[in-house]
């Protein structure tokens, strides 16, 4: 069996085309969705990620405002900035890039963001909305992107056994909640496995849909999946590769070559889940703008 490739790059492109049309229609009505990204410090990866998010927002017609703060920024200064953004009617989504400088308590910062502007979906209020099945929740971007990939690829989780490998607050836990909810892309029977799971392969071999988000290269191998499984690889890991000019290559949490011979469908790394995360950030921003403008909350 040779697995069908689920291209996140292609699906994200389709979603962004849809968003372009939606944003253009909103602009005619006088509503321009606004996204503020806050970068504190000079972490190269964070700078790259924020730059990509702002570029994507601008391309979609979304008003994008990047605020860059020094590595020595104080916690009070950052919290005051978030308070200003919460009150700014031109800003509908707020994203604070993590990690933050060590002198700042990340939990305080996340709590300070207005839940209705929390386009990352990390605020405890949005976590609670997701857990209770609120259809208007701003769900975390990566798990939401995975659901979109499944639905748009013709893979209906309803009634199937989905195994999520990973229990992080950013991916694993919200992924399980989205798969469980009574909605399109949900209604699955869900098992969450993690680093302390005994005989991980025995669990993953029961999956109809396997989502790997453990953060370790090639954790899931061919012998750990059953024939016909759909595999979504959330992992992004650097491994040494002297044959590459940059000295490394990027791989997922799944042994792509081996597992693709058994699975019915699989996402590549790169080009799989990654592009979906930014597409869902834009979608969350547009949805937040519509709700705030309509007084839905």
């Amino acid at each position: 069996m040779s697995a069908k490739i689920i291209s996140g790059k292609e699906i994200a492109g389709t979603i962004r085309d849809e968003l372009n049309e939606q944003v253009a229609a909103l602009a005619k009505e006088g509503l321009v969705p606004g996204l503020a990204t806050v970068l504190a410090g000079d972490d190269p990866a964070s700078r790259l990620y924020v730059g990509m998010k702002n570029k994507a927002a601008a391309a979609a017609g979304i008003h994008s405002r990047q605020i860059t703060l020094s590595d020595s920024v104080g916690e009070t200064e950052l919290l005051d900035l978030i308070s200003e953004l919460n009150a700014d009617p031109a800003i509908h989504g707020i994203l604070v890039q993590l990690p933050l400088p060590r002198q700042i308590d990340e939990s305080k910062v996340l709590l300070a963001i207005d839940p209705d502007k929390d386009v990352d979906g990390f605020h405890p209020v949005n976590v609670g909305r997701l857990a209770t099945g609120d259809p208007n929740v701003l769900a975390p971007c990566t798990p939401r992107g995975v659901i979109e990939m499944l639905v748009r690829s013709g893979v209906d989780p309803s009634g199937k056994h989905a195994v999520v490998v990973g229990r992080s607050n950013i991916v694993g836990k919200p992924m399980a909640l989205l798969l469980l909810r009574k909605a399109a892309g949900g209604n699955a029977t869900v098992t969450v496995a993690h680093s302390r799971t005994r005989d991980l392969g025995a669990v993953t071999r029961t999956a109809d849909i396997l989502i790997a988000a453990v953060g370790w290269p090639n954790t899931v191998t061919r012998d750990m999946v059953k024939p016909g499984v759909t595999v979504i690889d959330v992992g992004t890991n650097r491994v040494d590769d002297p044959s590459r000019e940059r000295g490394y290559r990027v791989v997922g949490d799944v042994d792509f070559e081996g597992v693709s011979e058994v699975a019915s469908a699989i996402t590549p790394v790169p080009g799989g889940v990654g592009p979906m995360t930014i597409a869902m950030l834009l979608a969350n921003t547009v949805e937040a703008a519509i709700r705030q403008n309509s007084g839905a909350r």
Side-chain angles (χ1 to χ4, degrees):
M1 179 183 295
S2 181
K4 168 189 173 183
I5 303 300
I6 301 176
S7 172
K9 185 177 181 180
E10 291 182 7
I11 296 172
T14 298
I15 292 171
R16 287 168 71 164
D17 287 343
E18 295 169 357
L19 288 170
N20 288 346
E21 295 180 5
Q22 188 178 14
V23 171
L26 290 172
K28 291 180 180 179
E29 299 174 5
L31 174 60
V32 178
L35 172 66
T37 54
V38 180
L39 174 64
D42 56 0
D43 179 75
S46 292
R47 281 203 312 271
L48 176 63
Y49 295 150
V50 169
M52 291 171 60
K53 292 167 183 175
N54 281 288
K55 183 178 179 180
I62 294 171
H63 166 59
S64 177
R65 179 183 174 194
Q66 179 177 334
I67 301 134
T68 303
L69 306 171
S70 72
D71 194 58
S72 61
V73 63
E75 184 174 274
T76 299
E77 180 183 351
L78 180 52
L79 292 174
D80 287 345
L81 171 63
I82 292 172
S83 180
E84 292 174 10
L85 295 173
N86 284 339
D88 188 342
I91 297 298
H92 305 99
I94 302 170
L95 181 150
V96 178
Q97 184 66 41
L98 302 179
L100 292 170
R102 62 183 61 186
Q103 72 272 15
I104 296 175
D105 185 337
E106 289 185 0
S107 63
K108 286 185 181 179
V109 172
L110 296 179
L111 280 169
I113 298 172
D114 181 342
D116 291 341
K117 294 190 177 187
D118 169 36
V119 287
D120 258 337
F122 295 159
H123 193 287
V125 168
N126 282 325
V127 174
R129 287 173 177 167
L130 181 59
T132 56
D134 185 342
N136 293 318
V137 67
L138 292 173
C141 301
T142 299
R144 182 182 176 188
V146 170
I147 296 296
E148 286 286 338
M149 295 179 81
L150 292 172
V151 171
R152 290 174 183 255
S153 300
V155 180
D156 184 2
S158 182
K160 294 185 174 67
H161 184 203
V163 174
V164 179
V165 184
R167 54 179 170 178
S168 72
N169 291 332
I170 296 173
V171 180
K173 291 176 184 176
M175 188 77 258
L177 290 171
L178 284 172
L179 287 163
L180 280 170
R181 69 177 180 169
K182 296 178 181 179
N187 295 304
T189 298
V190 182
T191 298
V192 179
H194 45 78
S195 59
R196 297 296 180 91
T197 298
R198 293 183 180 179
D199 196 354
L200 180 60
V203 177
T204 56
R205 278 189 293 272
T206 67
D208 302 309
I209 299 171
L210 178 63
I211 298 165
V214 70
W216 192 256
N218 299 323
T219 296
V220 178
T221 53
R222 175 175 176 165
D223 63 307
M224 295 172 67
V225 301
K226 70 178 182 181
V229 65
T230 296
V231 179
I232 306 292
D233 191 350
V234 182
T236 304
N237 310 287
R238 288 186 180 186
V239 296
D240 293 336
D241 187 347
S243 68
R244 302 290 179 95
E245 182 178 349
R246 55 190 177 183
Y248 68 88
R249 56 191 171 89
V250 177
V251 301
D253 293 347
V254 175
D255 175 14
F256 181 86
E257 297 299 328
V259 172
S260 62
E261 295 177 355
V262 181
S264 63
I266 190 170
T267 59
V269 177
V273 175
M276 294 297 297
T277 299
I278 291 181
M280 292 300 97
L281 171 65
L282 303 182
N284 276 354
T285 301
V286 173
E287 289 181 15
I290 292 170
R291 291 174 193 163
Q292 289 165 44
N293 190 63
S294 65
R297 292 196 179 279

